[in-house]
Amino acid sequence: MTARIQPSILSADFVNMQAAVEAVGSADAVHVDVMDNHFVPNLTFGPEMVRRVQEVSTIPLDVHLMITDVDRWAPGYAELGAFSVTFHAEATSEPVALARRLRAIGARAGLAVKPGTDVTPYLDLLPEFDQLLVMTVEPGFGGQSFMADMMPKVATVRAAVRAAGLDVWVQVDGGITVDTIVRAAEAGADTFVAGSSVYGATDAAGAIAALRAAAAGHAH
Ligand code: DX5
Ligand code: ZN
């Protein structure tokens, strides 16, 4: 299994964003947390910031929308050229229609579930998506502790993906370190977002390599 590492610029220095993006060029994607202070109690950035990050990044952008009104906003991120656009299941009543719009524009479509959301009702929708994000913290802030009790949910998603013979990436986000990534990989995750453990390290490239090695050694 390939362990994909996606550093989150939420933990980067916002006034040195170009340097922050360049520092993680050895990763698989840059994870971009868009927050609107409605879906989550925090505010980050919007399309203009994502457009500029996209321009300076040599690796793809994985956009994680923690916003309401995704039907209005999500397609715009795909049109900017984001590699993947993930919206929350809790933020729309029409996830399939939105996923199809994102794919039609050319982006990978992602569906995210908060820790308190049962993933079971969404498993039938897996063919409509390219990745499913199991949140391992309550969305809104970096630097929180990994919720190990989400591992059964990760395993449920992995089993459903396997049973359906799909190539849907199973992503985790929140509290990922060289220790917790092992548990997430064992549960079935293959795509790992890491904010503070990458940007809090003195050597971001070294942190990315260490995360990738730790996950690869414990894959299913
Ligand atoms: C949290 C964000 C995460 C965050 C992760 O709501 O979705 O992407 O940046 O940060 P760490 O890795 O520090 O938990
Ligand atoms: Zn995120």
Side-chain angles (χ1 to χ4, degrees), residues 8 10-11 31 33 35 64 66 135 137-144 173-176 193-197:
S8 167
L10 181 63
S11 294
H31 183 83
D33 288 306
M35 304 186 188
H64 177 196
M66 285 160 279
M135 289 303 301
V137 296
E138 202 58 56
F141 300 91
Q144 302 181 79
D173 181 5
I176 296 296
V193 178
S196 49
S197 69

Side-chain angles (χ1 to χ4, degrees), residues 30-44:
V30 176
H31 183 83
V32 182
D33 288 306
V34 174
M35 304 186 188
D36 67 352
N37 194 35
H38 291 279
F39 185 76
V40 289
N42 196 6
L43 184 66
T44 55

Side-chain angles (χ1 to χ4, degrees), residues 48-59:
E48 181 59 18
M49 181 66 157
V50 174
R51 186 182 71 77
R52 287 293 293 133
V53 169
Q54 176 84 54
E55 282 179 0
V56 302
S57 181
T58 57
I59 58 174

